[in-house]
Amino acid sequence: MQKILARPLWSRKIPVLGKHLSVGGTLMVVWIMLLYAVVVGVWWIRLRDYFVGRSLEGNISKGGERLAAVALTGHFCDITMGMVLLPISRHSALASFFKIAVSTTLANHMLTAYALFALVLIHGLLYVSWIPVFHALSSQLRMVIPVLNPTYLYHETWPGNTTPLGYWRASLIFTGIVSATIMAAIFVTSLPTVRSKHFNLFYFTHLLGIVMVIVICLHASTMFYCTAPGLAMWFLDWGMRLHELRRVIDGEITTIGNGWYCVTVPLPRARLTGCSCRSPLAHFYIHHAGSSIRELHPFTTITHLASKNSTTPQHDDDFMIQFLFRKRGRGPQCPSKIAQPPPRLWRRLVRGKKERIQSTQWTDRLAGLVDSQSETYGAVSSFKGIGLDTSDFPHPRINVALRLEGPYFSPADPSRYDKVVCFVAGTGISGGIAIANAFTALQSAAPERSTVSNTTEDLDQKVAARLPAWRRCIVVWSVKETDIVDLPFIETCKGLEVRTCLTGPRRARIDMAKVLEDLRNEDPGGSTWVYISGPGAFLEAGKSACRAATDVEYYAASWDI
C-alpha cells in the first residue's frame, strides 16, 4: 500500500514546491478540498444571511456578501492552520503510527503552510476590497457595520464602546495585520532559493511563528480550537525534547584518519523503553555547547540499537552508540581560529551559502577540538566505554560532553525483504553501516539458511514462517578518492558484501541502475529493497534508478524538505 501511495503520477516536479505529486499526495489534496467543501456547506448560508441581513436592515445594499466571504475564508484559515501544526512534531504520534518519513511530514507542512498563506492573502484582500464600500456610506450608515470589527454592532466595539472590552474587540484588525506580516516573512524566507542560501534567516524567522500563533488566536478565538491538537502535540514534543536534552552525557571523539571522526557516547536504555520500531535506521540530534550554544545537528547512528540493547547486560543502564562525521577542511584547526569571535548576528543570518561553507562549520569546530588538543597533549582520552575496545582506533581521541535528543526511527524494515541494497555517498555510509550491522545480527541469531532449506519439511509451519527472509545485503559506498578511509565498523558475515566506488577527476560515477540490473540477473526472484543516502543529486539519481526497475521498493533518507 505504501509503495502505491508513494508512486508519482508524472515525472515532472511541482513548481516552487520542487516535489513529485504522488498518489498519496493527490488523495490528501482531495481530502482537504472535501473538508473545505464541508466548511462552505455548513457556514456560507449562515454567514451570508447574517451579514446581508444586517446590511439590509441598515439600508446598505452592497458589501454584505463580501463580508460573508471574509468570514468564510477566516474559517478556511482556522482549519488550515491546524493542519500546518499537526505534522511538525519530532515525537509525532501520527508519523510513528502510520510510519511516515520525516521528509514526508515536512513536505506536508510546507504544502499546507503555502496554502494557509494564500488563504490569508485572500482573506485580507477581501477585507480591503470592502473598505471602499464602507467609506462610500454616510456617517450614519457607517455605524451599522463597524470598520474595525464588522462582526459586532457599533455600540459593542470601539469607538462606540470605550470600555476595555470595546477596545479589545476593535483590536481585530491590528492583530490580523501583525499575524499576516509575520506570516509573510516566514513565507518569503521559506522559499527554496532563500532557505538554501540563508538557512539561519529561515530558521530564526520561523521562530516568530510562536508569536504569530498567539496573536492569531487573539485575532479569532475559533483559531485556538482548530490549532489545539497541533499545539498540544507541539508542547508535548518540546517537553520530551527538553527532558532528553537536560542530561549531559560524557563521550569520546576519535579520529579515524583522513578527516573522519567517530563519536562514541553511552545511550540510556530508558530511551528505548516501549519502543517497538524494527528499523535499524535511527538518528539523534546532538548538542555540543563548546561548538554552538543554539545549534543541534542530526546524525544517523551507525549502531544497530535493537541488537546492541539485547546483547548488553541487563544490569547496565547504558550501552554504547557511535556516529560518524567528516569535516570539510583538511588539516587541524588551531585553537586561536576556533576561539575567534562570531560575526555580528545580522551577518550570520544573511550570509550566503558560499560564506557558510568557507566559515567554520559546526563539525569542523568539533573536529578541531580533537586536532588541537591531540597536537598539544596527544591522545588525552580517559573515557571507558561499555563494550568498546579503544585499541581499534590507534588515533588521537578526547573526552567530550554532549547532549542527545532521540532516537528517531525511520520507517524502514529491511528484514522483510530477500535482498537489500544500500546506495550511500560520503557520510551517508552511516545508514549503510547500521543496516549491515542489523543484517549481521539477524544472520547470527537465525539458523543457517542452508540447514533450514534442507529441513524445512521437518519444521512446524509457524516456525518456518518466522524465519527471516533477509538473505543478502549489499552496501555500495560512493566516496571521493581524496576522502577514502578504512571504516572498521562492519562485521562481515555470509551474504554481506561491501563495495567501494571511488569518484573524482576522470572517474565515472556509480551507475545505480546497472547495479540493480546486475543483481536481478545474478540473483533473480525474491523481493528487493534499496536504501539511498547522500547529497541531493545522488538521491535523485538513486530514486530514478529504483523507479526504472519497477520491481524495487526504496527509501531515500533526506534532511531537506
Side-chain angles (χ1 to χ4, degrees):
M1 178 61 71
Q2 287 184 337
K3 183 178 179 180
I4 295 175
L5 294 177
R7 183 177 301 164
L9 295 180
W10 60 76
S11 58
R12 298 186 64 180
K13 293 184 177 181
I14 303 174
V16 180
L17 295 179
K19 295 291 181 181
H20 293 284
L21 182 62
S22 64
V23 175
T26 304
L27 293 176
M28 186 190 72
V29 171
V30 171
W31 177 81
I32 292 175
M33 297 307 295
L34 290 175
L35 185 61
Y36 287 158
V38 171
V39 173
V40 172
V42 172
W43 283 105
W44 173 248
I45 296 177
R46 291 179 173 84
L47 292 172
R48 185 190 60 186
D49 291 346
Y50 175 73
F51 285 105
V52 172
R54 280 184 57 189
S55 299
L56 293 177
E57 289 177 1
N59 295 322
I60 301 175
S61 59
K62 297 181 180 180
E65 291 189 350
R66 200 169 306 180
L67 287 175
V70 172
L72 181 65
T73 53
H75 286 300
F76 285 162
C77 293
D78 294 343
I79 295 172
T80 311
M81 186 70 183
M83 291 187 289
V84 169
L85 294 179
L86 272 179
I88 60 174
S89 299
R90 291 179 187 169
H91 294 91
S92 174
L94 294 176
S96 300
F97 181 80
F98 292 104
K99 294 181 173 59
I100 303 174
V102 175
S103 58
T104 302
T105 59
L106 290 177
N108 179 73
H109 170 71
M110 182 173 65
L111 173 64
T112 52
Y114 285 168
L116 173 63
F117 183 66
L119 288 170
V120 167
L121 285 179
I122 296 172
H123 179 70
L125 291 175
L126 283 173
Y127 176 79
V128 171
S129 69
W130 174 77
I131 298 298
V133 177
F134 175 81
H135 282 293
L137 300 175
S138 63
S139 299
Q140 185 176 2
L141 291 180
R142 289 182 185 180
M143 295 184 176
V144 176
I145 301 179
V147 66
L148 295 180
N149 194 335
T151 306
Y152 291 96
L153 301 176
Y154 181 79
H155 67 273
E156 294 176 330
T157 184
W158 184 85
N161 186 343
T162 56
T163 64
L165 181 60
Y167 288 118
W168 169 259
R169 289 169 176 170
S171 66
L172 179 75
I173 182 67
F174 305 106
T175 54
I177 292 174
V178 172
S179 58
T181 302
I182 296 176
M183 197 174 297
I186 293 176
F187 170 77
V188 172
T189 56
S190 66
L191 293 174
T193 53
V194 179
R195 185 179 70 242
S196 60
K197 295 180 179 179
H198 308 286
F199 183 82
N200 283 339
L201 183 63
F202 155 78
Y203 178 79
F204 287 106
T205 306
H206 252 64
L207 294 182
L208 294 175
I210 302 172
V211 179
M212 184 197 67
V213 171
I214 297 174
V215 175
I216 207 170
C217 287
L218 297 176
H219 176 75
S221 59
T222 52
M223 179 68 73
F224 174 77
Y225 303 107
C226 293
T227 57
L231 287 174
M233 293 177 62
W234 186 81
F235 280 116
L236 177 62
D237 172 61
W238 265 103
M240 296 176 66
R241 289 161 64 179
L242 293 175
H243 176 74
E244 293 172 349
L245 290 170
R246 84 188 193 283
R247 175 179 172 181
V248 178
I249 301 176
D250 294 324
E252 178 184 83
I253 303 179
T254 308
T255 64
I256 57 178
N258 203 18
W260 290 79
Y261 299 80
C262 175
V263 179
T264 304
V265 293
L267 177 69
R269 302 182 76 136
R271 297 281 184 98
L272 298 181
T273 302
C275 178
S276 60
C277 186
R278 298 170 58 88
S279 175
L281 299 170
H283 66 273
F284 294 77
Y285 286 82
I286 300 180
H287 177 268
H288 178 243
S291 297
S292 176
I293 295 295
R294 57 180 173 80
E295 294 182 35
L296 282 85
H297 286 254
F299 285 88
T300 299
T301 178
I302 64 175
T303 306
H304 181 222
L305 298 183
S307 61
K308 194 71 173 179
N309 186 30
S310 60
T311 56
T312 302
Q314 293 298 319
H315 57 79
D316 291 334
D317 295 331
D318 308 319
F319 62 87
M320 305 310 298
I321 62 174
Q322 295 175 312
F323 305 89
L324 283 180
F325 72 92
R326 183 180 63 83
K327 66 177 182 180
R328 291 181 181 271
R330 286 290 179 265
Q333 291 179 307
C334 61
S336 60
K337 184 175 182 181
I338 300 171
Q340 288 178 351
R344 293 179 182 272
L345 175 61
W346 173 249
R347 189 58 189 162
R348 293 203 308 268
L349 292 178
V350 300
R351 60 184 176 176
K353 183 177 180 181
K354 184 177 180 180
E355 295 176 89
R356 295 201 312 273
I357 293 176
Q358 292 175 345
S359 66
T360 305
Q361 300 290 316
W362 185 88
T363 51
D364 289 357
R365 294 194 293 268
L366 197 61
L369 296 175
V370 188
D371 296 337
S372 60
Q373 293 195 27
S374 61
E375 279 191 341
T376 307
Y377 305 106
V380 297
S381 174
S382 59
F383 176 73
K384 301 297 182 183
I386 303 172
L388 177 69
D389 184 5
T390 55
S391 64
D392 290 341
F393 309 108
H395 300 285
R397 60 183 67 88
I398 64 165
N399 294 337
V400 65
L402 302 172
R403 299 178 190 268
L404 290 184
E405 177 194 325
Y408 300 101
F409 290 92
S410 300
D413 183 10
S415 64
R416 298 189 296 110
Y417 301 86
D418 293 274
K419 296 165 289 184
V420 172
V421 181
C422 301
F423 290 122
V424 291
T427 54
I429 185 65
S430 296
I433 294 175
I435 292 175
N437 289 335
F439 177 76
T440 302
L442 187 65
Q443 296 303 312
S444 61
E448 290 291 336
R449 297 195 65 84
S450 57
T451 305
V452 172
S453 61
N454 295 329
T455 60
T456 302
E457 297 177 355
D458 301 328
L459 291 174
D460 183 82
Q461 292 184 355
K462 292 183 178 180
V463 176
R466 289 197 298 266
L467 294 176
W470 195 2
R471 56 181 174 80
R472 192 171 181 183
C473 179
I474 302 174
V475 179
V476 184
W477 183 29
S478 175
V479 60
K480 291 181 180 179
E481 185 178 9
T482 56
D483 297 337
I484 186 65
V485 68
D486 291 330
L487 300 176
F489 302 105
I490 301 178
E491 299 179 8
T492 59
C493 69
K494 183 179 179 180
L496 176 61
E497 181 181 353
V498 179
R499 307 175 187 174
T500 301
C501 177
L502 298 180
T503 62
R506 296 181 298 277
R507 286 185 178 272
R509 295 184 179 274
I510 181 174
D511 188 345
M512 289 178 265
K514 187 176 186 305
V515 172
L516 294 177
E517 182 180 358
D518 292 344
L519 178 62
R520 187 187 305 110
N521 296 333
E522 174 189 341
D523 188 4
S527 56
T528 303
W529 182 78
V530 177
Y531 170 74
I532 315 167
S533 180
F538 187 86
L539 290 177
E540 291 300 324
K543 289 189 284 188
S544 298
C546 293
R547 295 189 193 107
T550 66
D551 58 344
V552 169
E553 296 185 39
Y554 68 91
Y555 172 75
S558 174
W559 301 113
D560 198 8
I561 57 177

